[in-house]
Amino acid sequence: MRAGQGTCWGTKGQFADPLYQRYHDEEWGKPLHGDDALFERLCLEAFQSGLSWLTILRKRPAFRAAFAGFSIERVAEFDEADRARLMSDAGIVRNRLKVDAAIANARVARDLDIGLDELLWSFAPAPRPRPRSSADVPAETTESVTLAKELKRIGFRFVGPTTAYALMQATGMVDDHLADCWVDNYRSSTALP
């Protein structure tokens, strides 16, 4: 399959959008590292809850501007004026609980004894063969349940098992590109027969 053919998600409806296809081809499932980069994905997955991912992709530039490039240090310092600014920003999802969670999560991430990258990746399962069809892709796994519990235990908000699994998929901790997808992910390639 060639780039832009949307092997994993099809090419109808929202999946026909070139932005969605680029996301599939260039980002989704590729191993991502860096505390701020992972913080961005954690926040965006939480903001996506109940919405389409395409909505979040379209708003991502505005999210990045509104949340100081998702710098953990900067977002952790956001105050009431920042909350008010975010709640009046039509370019992002204006949900008070999600905005508050992003700020609170930045404070938790800033105060971790280890980096967010190290924490999140410590829950990545061993590489496995790619699923054969979308029916073989779970909404959550034992690892995502465990990750969500740990994140909640240490104070993170808006990170249930499904959100945790979506984060794992998006950042390459798991490779849920379908078996016949052309996109390469070095984590899974060694596990294939």
Side-chain angles (χ1 to χ4, degrees):
M1 290 288 142
R2 293 186 337 256
Q5 289 191 334
T7 324
C8 297
W9 303 329
T11 57
K12 301 209 183 305
Q14 68 179 344
F15 304 118
D17 189 292
L19 182 61
Y20 218 131
Q21 290 187 7
R22 271 194 315 277
Y23 176 69
H24 168 272
D25 295 351
E26 299 170 11
E27 290 185 63
W28 189 74
K30 302 243 180 186
L32 180 69
H33 289 280
D35 291 347
D36 290 344
L38 287 164
F39 176 66
E40 174 183 1
R41 295 295 181 86
L42 180 69
C43 289
L44 293 179
E45 291 294 346
F47 274 103
Q48 183 273 330
S49 182
L51 302 171
S52 100
W53 185 246
L54 185 56
T55 297
I56 301 303
L57 285 177
R58 288 179 176 153
K59 292 179 176 281
R60 186 160 61 168
F63 270 111
R64 286 176 171 165
F67 282 93
F70 289 98
S71 162
I72 292 169
E73 292 296 324
R74 291 181 64 195
V75 175
E77 296 302 319
F78 280 11
D79 58 17
E80 285 305 315
D82 291 299
R83 279 188 180 85
R85 172 183 56 82
L86 292 168
M87 291 304 297
S88 67
D89 187 340
I92 66 168
V93 174
R94 294 176 291 179
N95 176 301
R96 169 73 64 186
L97 294 175
K98 293 176 182 181
V99 166
D100 288 347
I103 296 168
N105 290 349
R107 292 175 180 155
V108 173
R110 176 193 61 195
D111 296 339
L112 289 172
D113 292 334
I114 62 173
L116 184 61
D117 185 311
E118 184 178 347
L119 172 66
L120 295 176
W121 276 89
S122 72
F123 290 88
R128 64 176 194 257
R130 287 179 162 182
R132 298 225 176 265
S133 74
S134 58
D136 298 326
V137 178
E140 61 183 56
T141 61
T142 303
E143 293 87 1
S144 74
V145 169
T146 305
L147 172 58
K149 283 181 182 176
E150 177 60 13
L151 290 175
K152 286 180 182 179
R153 185 191 70 75
I154 60 180
F156 282 88
R157 301 183 201 169
F158 251 94
V159 284
T162 302
T163 298
Y165 192 67
L167 174 71
M168 295 171 107
Q169 290 174 303
T171 60
M173 293 178 207
V174 296
D175 181 7
D176 278 344
H177 283 281
L178 300 184
D180 63 352
C181 181
W182 68 273
V183 173
D184 185 37
N185 174 321
Y186 74 86
R187 283 200 85 232
S188 66
S189 61
T190 58
L192 295 175

